[in-house]
């Protein structure tokens, strides 16, 4: 149903097969080469931007380590992510506390560790920042409309109306903080590049009115993530995103473009992952049913949570691909009826698929390995392995090569 070569080159596929052949399923292999390539592409496409990798999308130590070596900064969401990144000797001035939902104790923890840049979208949080992270830079996240064209929207929960952002930045100055800029997230896997245009226009309005009416000169726009990975639904190339978004910036800000931060997650790591699962059972619900149910040893609770509401549609291939195919419903191994990945979307698998065959989920490098349960039905968390230039590492960065 899917042409593997459109997603993974022959060279990298063979490298993956060789590396993964002795590991128990289910597992996820992350190819660091792919992430490096995506990072360099992003830097080349937005040469004026600073990149803050959104650690939550794949918090494996080999990934963080490599991106740190490539000069990346990091968007951090919790004290646990903070400890992990600092332990790799990343300087706290390369970090931003991007989560708008945080405890006062966590603000203090970040401040004590040397972090001086904080996101906010509410009064109470701003007060905590002023109290526990005095004189830090704050940027305010604004709400943007994006739910219909982003496959994983991130709307509503984060951000505030621009009028409120205005008030928060005025208040930030009164509280002794540095009003630094505006942030937004256009929605993850955002297929409509125009979403950035709307958000940049709102940002421009805030820059202008704050300067004219309050004498507050903001200097940074954090444009979030949202750039696409290669799933089954078509998207524009990254270079189209870059040229359009750069044009929007010039349209609104002329030659005087503020400092730009990008926080990519999915677009950097998504394409790097291959999740290998095994067929546990194939059945039909009645004697003449046309559709087969294919139950795998991976599901919503161990790596594939973004199939929730069939939001993210991964390319799925099997070791029997190439012959006749029939429609399937794909489900996971747990005793929860929510553990069905695809039913409405009509996936097809080979007629001669058998129990024990391998089924590969491509583009599973983002929001999979750490987005899994710890032991539902007793199944252990899915293991992630990292394919480096020298061999294989586990998620802690320990070498597994012999
Ligand atoms: C999750 C997140 C990102 C990453 O978004 P992608 O769409 O995966 O690139 C960036 N910024 C913030 C604040 C986030 O919460």
């Amino acid at each position: 149903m899917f042409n593997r070569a459109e997603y993974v080159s022959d060279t990298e596929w063979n490298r993956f097969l060789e590396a993964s052949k002795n590991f128990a399923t289910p597992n996820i292999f992350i190819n660091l080469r792919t992430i490096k390539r995506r990072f360099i592409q992003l830097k080349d496409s937005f040469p004026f931007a600073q990149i803050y990798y959104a650690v939550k999308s794949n918090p494996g130590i080999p990934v963080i380590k490599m991106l740190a070596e490539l000069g990346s900064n990091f968007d951090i969401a919790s004290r646990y992510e903070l400890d992990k990144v600092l332990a790799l000797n990343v300087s706290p001035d390369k970090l931003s506390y991007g989560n708008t939902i945080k405890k006062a104790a966590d603000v203090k923890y970040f401040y004590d560790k040397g972090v001086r840049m904080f996101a906010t979208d509410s009064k109470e949080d701003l007060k905590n920042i002023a109290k526990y992270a005095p004189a830090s830079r704050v940027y305010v996240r604004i709400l943007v409309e994006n739910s219909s064209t982003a496959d994983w929207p991130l709307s509503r929960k984060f951000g505030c109306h621009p009028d409120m952002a205005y008030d928060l930045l005025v208040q930030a100055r009164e509280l002794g903080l540095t009003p630094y800029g505006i942030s937004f997230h256009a929605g993850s896997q955002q297929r409509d590049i125009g979403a950035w245009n709307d958000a940049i226009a709102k940002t421009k309005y805030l820059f202008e009115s704050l300067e004219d009416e309050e004498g507050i000169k903001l200097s940074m726009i954090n444009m979030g993530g949202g750039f696409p990975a290669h799933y089954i639904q078509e998207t524009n190339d990254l270079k189209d995103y870059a040229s359009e978004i750069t044009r929007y910036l010039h349209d609104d800000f002329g030659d005087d473009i503020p400092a730009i931060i990008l926080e990519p997650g999915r677009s950097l790591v998504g394409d790097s992952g291959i999740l290998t699962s095994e067929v546990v059972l194939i059945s039909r619900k009645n004697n003449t049913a046309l559709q087969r149910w294919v139950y795998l040893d991976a599901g919503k609770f161990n790596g594939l949570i973004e199939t929730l509401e069939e939001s993210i549609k991964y390319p799925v291939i099997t070791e029997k691909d190439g012959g006749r195919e029939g429609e399937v419903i794909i489900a996971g191994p747990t005793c929860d009826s929510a553990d069905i990945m695809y039913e409405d979307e009509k996936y097809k698998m080979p007629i001669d698929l058998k129990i024990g065959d391998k089924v590969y989920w491509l583009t599973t490098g983002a929001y999979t390995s750490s987005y899994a349960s710890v032991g539902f039905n007793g199944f252990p968390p899915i293991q992630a392995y990292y394919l480096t230039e020298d061999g294989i590492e586990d998620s802690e960065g320990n070498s597994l090569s012999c």
Side-chain angles (χ1 to χ4, degrees):
M1 182 178 179
F2 299 104
N3 177 8
R4 187 265 307 152
E6 266 180 45
Y7 297 90
V8 184
S9 72
D10 289 350
T11 312
E12 295 305 325
W13 179 252
N14 290 329
R15 212 170 141 239
F16 155 74
L17 286 179
E18 177 59 28
S20 68
K21 67 183 178 195
N22 294 324
F23 287 85
T25 68
N27 64 59
I28 304 175
F29 266 74
I30 303 293
N31 187 345
L32 291 190
R33 252 184 215 172
T34 311
I35 301 176
K36 184 174 184 178
R37 203 164 57 230
R38 290 284 175 277
F39 183 82
I40 292 169
Q41 272 169 358
L42 191 71
K43 268 194 91 70
D44 291 348
S45 307
F46 291 94
F48 50 85
Q50 276 190 297
I51 297 175
Y52 281 67
Y53 171 56
V55 171
K56 76 174 188 288
S57 61
N58 188 322
I61 282 177
V63 176
I64 298 171
K65 222 188 234 172
M66 183 185 70
L67 289 174
E69 279 163 19
L70 291 169
S72 188
N73 307 279
F74 297 90
D75 169 49
I76 308 286
S78 71
R79 63 161 75 192
Y80 311 102
E81 285 183 358
L82 177 66
D83 290 342
K84 197 174 200 176
V85 172
L86 290 177
L88 297 171
N89 291 322
V90 174
S91 160
D93 62 12
K94 302 196 79 144
L95 309 179
S96 160
Y97 193 175
N99 195 345
T100 57
I101 301 157
K102 45 192 170 315
K103 298 177 180 174
D106 294 330
V107 174
K108 181 172 186 314
Y109 190 85
F110 272 65
Y111 184 79
D112 289 345
K113 298 280 179 179
V115 176
R116 294 291 180 270
M117 182 155 53
F118 295 79
T120 194
D121 61 4
S122 69
K123 230 176 195 160
E124 291 306 315
D125 184 52
L126 182 70
K127 281 192 224 158
N128 283 336
I129 297 170
K131 185 164 176 194
Y132 296 106
S136 293
R137 290 169 158 178
V138 284
Y139 59 92
V140 177
R141 179 156 169 184
I142 57 171
L143 276 170
V144 290
E145 288 304 319
N146 57 31
S147 42
S148 60
T149 51
D151 292 332
W152 198 264
L154 300 174
S155 54
R156 288 180 32 250
K157 181 170 173 183
F158 307 102
C160 60
H161 189 280
D163 292 346
M164 186 175 212
Y166 182 103
D167 294 343
L168 289 173
L169 286 158
V170 171
Q171 204 181 355
R173 180 178 60 182
E174 285 162 7
L175 293 168
L177 295 163
T178 303
Y180 187 46
I182 298 293
S183 76
F184 57 81
H185 194 298
S188 200
Q189 191 71 8
Q190 175 55 266
R191 287 173 282 106
D192 176 12
I193 306 178
W196 276 268
N197 197 13
D198 298 344
I200 290 168
K202 284 182 180 154
T203 302
K204 165 67 179 173
Y205 157 78
L206 281 166
F207 268 65
E208 215 164 57
S209 53
L210 278 161
E211 183 163 15
D212 292 351
E213 296 158 17
E214 296 289 338
I216 292 176
K217 189 150 174 48
L218 299 177
S219 45
M220 186 278 289
I221 309 175
N222 178 333
M223 300 200 292
F227 305 110
H230 190 183
Y231 301 115
I232 71 179
Q233 204 168 0
E234 200 177 357
T235 58
N236 285 288
D237 289 341
L238 183 66
K239 63 176 182 352
D240 301 321
Y241 280 77
S243 63
E244 286 296 288
I245 292 169
T246 305
R247 187 169 63 78
Y248 304 149
L249 285 169
H250 284 295
D251 283 352
D252 278 319
F253 289 91
D255 291 332
D256 195 18
I257 292 182
I260 299 292
I261 284 178
L262 301 177
E263 294 177 330
R266 191 183 299 282
S267 64
L268 284 189
V269 298
D271 295 355
S272 72
I274 299 172
L275 186 154
T276 303
S277 58
E278 186 184 294
V279 178
V280 177
L281 179 70
I282 302 175
S283 66
R284 294 178 198 265
K285 296 294 177 190
N286 68 59
N287 290 331
T288 55
L290 294 170
Q291 281 182 330
R292 289 165 296 161
W293 281 72
V294 174
Y295 300 93
L296 304 175
D297 60 1
K300 273 212 169 70
F301 299 97
N302 53 355
L304 299 169
I305 189 69
E306 285 200 323
T307 59
L308 214 65
E309 295 173 4
E310 306 195 14
S311 302
I312 296 293
K313 297 185 177 75
Y314 298 101
V316 181
I317 63 175
T318 79
E319 58 177 318
K320 294 269 177 66
D321 281 12
R324 258 184 70 223
E325 295 179 325
E327 260 178 30
V328 292
I329 294 166
I330 310 177
T334 66
C335 298
D336 189 323
S337 58
D339 196 8
I340 298 171
M341 285 79 85
Y342 300 121
E343 187 169 12
D344 294 336
E345 182 75 21
K346 304 302 177 199
Y347 277 70
K348 288 182 174 174
M349 284 187 181
I351 295 295
D352 60 354
L353 190 73
K354 293 277 183 299
I355 289 170
D357 284 349
K358 284 189 172 149
V359 172
Y360 302 101
W361 296 66
L362 308 181
T363 321
T364 44
Y367 305 114
T368 48
S369 54
S370 67
Y371 222 167
S373 78
V374 293
F376 180 45
N377 267 176
F379 291 107
I382 191 163
Q383 293 298 307
Y385 302 104
Y386 294 79
L387 198 49
T388 73
E389 293 302 333
D390 306 318
I392 302 165
E393 292 178 11
D394 67 13
S395 56
E396 301 302 314
N398 304 308
S399 176
L400 303 177
S401 320
C402 33

